[in-house]
């Protein structure tokens, strides 16, 4: 990372952080040094932001789709122009390295998703067009959207929420996670250099502010990515205002390696399907079921990769794995691995913290010979530890994979395309990948089933999710003639 990028990151930070002696200190995930001070907005600040967003919304919607799309493209250009500075700030705050599928990758995804949303067409749907009736279903802005983001992919997921919302004519009040507010507020400041006033407002606050955002009478739509437990509280909070909801909640994604699979051909993709962002990804692979015929080969291949992947401070250009973002998540990973070891599971790689790298670093861990009922399998670890479960009967593997109460993503791995596609239909999840895991595309809808939430994001369906429908019904062709 160049000195110029670091200086630009400091300049961005100065634009959005609280004054000296105010706000809340935010630590560097790798070094635990203080990066800066997040504004400590209160409920009154949120109420003011929502009032401003509500006042700005009619004028924003009145600009029309074409003009709003132009402004989204300008916002994408602004992100690209500041990408290195934002990546520097993101790497420090979240912990993810600059390189690999991490900070620079995340900034590239932000501008790409904005550009895609700017170009999506959502035309009225003709329902009936005959002699007696012409009826169309049209999509209009919902109003004011409350966007509540997570700490693992704070910039990209915020764009997933605000991109389609702005495109449809909504205004947005965005609340980043308390763990990663600085990088999000900096990105919003860059976007607001080209957007009209009060169309997009960032609020940095605690859980009280988040609860008020979900329950506020002038919020028309809530988009939330985070834990299932918090999602349930948002549902309860929104009961009073009947805000529409899109919830992308917890996952415990399963992968199944079918018999006869060429392990060498899939090993790298298997590893990164689980360890992207050091395992801190909702749709990362959290448990892997492998057939007897290739089990030992898969474990050995994953362990070899885990032992060789560079881990350390994200600002070091050589590293591709970083720390856990916060102490609470580090403790969860440590607890689950220790419980697995106590049950007699075999540590094929890692299995311990890496204190020489920093306080919250945990070595990439492969746990083999583990029972399906172990806590590391049944609970979402959200970190760099992958349990690999042996199976001999394919039906049993699908039973194990589908037995949890979440269903965000899943994957099947096979050298036989036909067998893989048949197997994919048996998985109980919103998305199933074949010979990969976790890849997303801005035009392909994404959402969970069971306790992983509801509602779809991305593409045409994503625009529909931040709109309200109206049926326009009138005379048919006979009356018009």
């Amino acid at each position: 990372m160049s000195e110029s990028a670091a200086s630009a990151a400091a300049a961005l930070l100065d634009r959005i952080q609280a004054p000296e002696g105010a706000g809340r200190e935010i630590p560097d995930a790798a070094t635990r040094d203080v990066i800066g001070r997040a504004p400590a907005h209160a409920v009154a600040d949120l109420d003011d932001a929502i009032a401003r967003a509500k006042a700005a919304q009619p004028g924003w919607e009145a600009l029309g789709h074409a003009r709003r799309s132009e402004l989204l493209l300008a916002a994408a250009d602004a992100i690209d122009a500041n990408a290195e500075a934002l990546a520097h700030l993101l790497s420090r705050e979240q912990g993810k390295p600059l390189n690999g599928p991490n900070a620079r990758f995340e900034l590239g995804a932000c501008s790409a998703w904005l550009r895609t949303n700017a170009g999506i067409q959502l035309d009225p749907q003709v329902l009936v067009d005959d002699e007696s009736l012409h009826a169309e279903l049209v999509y209009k802005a919902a109003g004011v959207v409350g966007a509540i983001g997570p700490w693992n992919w704070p910039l990209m997921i915020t764009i997933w929420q605000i991109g389609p919302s702005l495109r449809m004519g909504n205004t947005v009040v965005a609340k980043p996670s308390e763990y990663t507010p600085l990088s999000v507020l900096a990105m919003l400041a860059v976007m607001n250099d080209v957007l009209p006033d009060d169309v997009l407002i960032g609020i940095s606050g605690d859980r009280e502010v988040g609860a008020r955002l979900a329950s506020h009478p002038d919020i028309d739509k809530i988009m939330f990515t985070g834990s299932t437990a918090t999602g349930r509280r948002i549902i309860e909070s929104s009961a009073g205002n009947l805000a529409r909801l899109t919830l992308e909640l917890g996952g415990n994604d399963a992968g199944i390696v079918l018999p006869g699979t060429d392990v060498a051909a899939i090993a790298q993709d298997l590893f990164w399907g689980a360890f992207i962002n050091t395992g801190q990804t909702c749709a990362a692979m959290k448990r892997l079921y492998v057939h007897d015929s290739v089990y030992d080969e898969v474990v050995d291949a994953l362990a070899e990769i885990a032992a060789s992947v560079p881990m350390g401070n994200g600002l070091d250009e050589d590293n591709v794995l970083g720390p856990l973002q916060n102490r609470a998540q580090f403790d969860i990973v440590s607890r689950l691995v220790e419980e697995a070891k106590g049950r007699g599971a075999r540590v094929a790689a890692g299995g311990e913290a890496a204190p020489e790298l920093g306080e919250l670093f945990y070595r990439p861990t492969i746990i083999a010979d583990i029972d399906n009922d172990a806590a590391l399998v049944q609970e979402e670890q959200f970190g760099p530890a992958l349990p690999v479960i042996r199976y001999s009967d394919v039906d049993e593997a699908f039973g194990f994979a589908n037995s949890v109460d979440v269903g965000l993503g899943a994957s099947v791995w096979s050298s036989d395309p036909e067998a893989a596609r048949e197997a994919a239909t048996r998985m109980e999840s919103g998305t199933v990948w074949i010979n990969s895991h976790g890849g997303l595309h801005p035009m392909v809808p994404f959402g969970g089933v069971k306790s992983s939430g509801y509602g779809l994001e991305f593409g045409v369906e994503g625009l529909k999710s931040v709109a309200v429908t109206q049926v326009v019904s009138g005379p048919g062709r006979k009356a018009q003639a």
Side-chain angles (χ1 to χ4, degrees):
M1 169 62 70
S2 68
E3 290 185 12
S4 61
S7 297
L12 278 179
L13 186 59
D14 286 342
R15 291 181 60 182
I16 55 90
Q17 71 174 329
E20 188 71 38
R24 184 169 50 86
E25 292 184 341
I26 302 297
D28 183 305
T31 68
R32 312 310 292 165
D33 296 333
V34 174
I35 301 171
R37 301 169 304 281
H41 292 136
V43 168
D45 300 308
L46 173 67
D47 290 344
D48 175 69
I50 294 173
R52 288 157 47 207
K54 183 177 181 180
Q57 191 276 323
W60 174 245
E61 185 174 12
L63 289 180
H65 289 296
R67 178 56 180 155
R68 291 196 302 274
S69 291
E70 290 176 358
L71 289 166
L72 285 186
L73 293 175
D77 290 342
I79 289 174
D80 284 343
N82 292 272
E84 274 295 287
L86 287 167
H88 183 281
L89 183 54
L90 172 63
S91 181
R92 294 193 66 198
E93 186 178 42
Q94 201 282 329
K96 62 183 65 183
L98 293 169
N99 289 324
N102 293 300
R104 289 178 175 133
F105 169 86
E106 182 165 351
L107 266 299
C110 288
S111 57
W113 247 266
L114 278 179
R115 290 192 173 93
T116 298
N117 276 281
I120 298 174
Q121 295 298 312
L122 180 55
D123 298 321
Q125 179 183 351
V126 177
L127 305 173
V128 178
D129 185 20
D130 59 21
E131 295 296 313
S132 61
L133 179 66
H134 180 88
E136 290 184 345
L137 183 68
V138 298
Y139 297 90
K140 305 169 68 174
V144 181
V145 174
I148 306 174
W151 52 259
N152 59 333
W153 293 90
L155 304 188
M156 183 176 70
I157 292 177
T158 294
I159 289 295
W160 290 355
Q161 296 171 338
I162 67 181
S165 298
L166 294 175
R167 167 68 174 77
M168 284 304 300
N170 304 289
T171 51
V172 180
V173 177
K175 180 194 174 299
S177 165
E178 296 170 63
Y179 288 115
T180 53
L182 298 176
S183 54
V184 175
L185 294 177
M187 181 180 70
L188 299 186
V190 164
M191 295 176 68
N192 277 326
D193 287 339
V194 299
L195 294 174
D197 291 344
D198 296 335
V199 163
L200 174 61
I201 303 173
I203 286 289
S204 171
D206 58 16
R207 291 184 179 182
E208 183 183 7
V209 173
R212 174 61 173 170
L213 180 59
S215 63
H216 196 287
D218 288 330
I219 288 292
D220 302 288
K221 168 80 182 187
I222 289 288
M223 301 191 76
F224 170 74
T225 296
S227 71
T228 298
T230 303
R232 289 193 171 102
R233 290 196 292 271
I234 286 173
I235 293 170
E236 293 169 357
S237 296
S238 67
N241 62 2
L242 293 179
R244 291 161 170 80
L245 301 174
T246 296
L247 304 174
E248 195 257 271
L249 307 179
N252 192 359
D253 289 17
I256 297 180
V257 179
L258 297 176
T261 301
D262 181 352
V263 175
I266 65 170
Q268 285 286 337
D269 289 332
L270 269 178
F271 180 86
W272 286 110
F275 288 88
I276 184 173
N277 196 27
T278 315
Q280 300 166 106
T281 299
C282 297
M285 185 166 58
K286 310 293 180 18
R287 52 203 171 106
L288 179 62
Y289 299 91
V290 182
H291 189 261
D292 270 330
S293 62
V294 292
Y295 183 85
D296 292 333
E297 188 179 356
V298 166
V299 170
D300 289 346
L302 291 175
E304 182 178 354
I305 297 170
S308 65
V309 173
M311 169 180 272
N313 190 307
L315 298 184
D316 184 331
E317 299 277 357
D318 293 331
N319 292 326
V320 290
L321 292 179
L324 277 300
Q325 200 283 326
N326 56 78
R327 168 57 64 177
Q329 200 58 48
F330 178 91
D331 290 344
I332 289 171
V333 173
S334 299
R335 170 180 62 82
L336 293 174
V337 172
E338 290 304 310
E339 192 270 350
K341 290 158 66 174
R343 294 171 60 102
R346 173 167 62 94
V347 177
E352 62 184 4
E356 74 280 8
L357 298 177
E359 180 181 333
L360 299 183
F361 285 86
Y362 200 93
R363 304 189 197 284
T365 296
I366 305 297
I367 300 292
D369 304 331
I370 184 171
D371 295 330
N372 187 62
D373 61 354
L376 181 60
V377 179
Q378 294 299 311
E379 298 180 29
E380 183 182 23
Q381 71 277 51
F382 216 70
L386 178 66
V388 188
I389 306 97
R390 185 191 302 265
Y391 75 89
S392 56
D393 179 81
V394 173
D395 290 336
E396 178 185 50
F398 282 103
F400 285 159
N402 293 331
S403 63
V404 297
D405 69 346
V406 288
L408 190 58
S411 58
V412 292
W413 304 76
S414 175
S415 300
D416 182 342
E418 185 176 339
R421 289 196 173 275
E422 188 279 331
T425 65
R426 301 180 63 182
M427 301 294 266
E428 296 175 2
S429 63
T431 297
V432 185
W433 294 277
I434 294 174
N435 291 342
S436 66
H437 195 110
L440 300 173
H441 188 284
M443 286 302 296
V444 178
F446 178 70
V449 298
K450 298 195 278 191
S451 293
S452 289
Y454 46 75
L456 290 172
E457 299 178 85
F458 311 162
V460 174
E461 297 303 319
L463 292 187
K464 291 178 180 178
S465 76
V466 290
V468 292
T469 56
Q470 183 179 60
V471 173
V472 178
S473 185
R477 291 191 295 268
K478 182 177 180 180
Q480 293 173 7

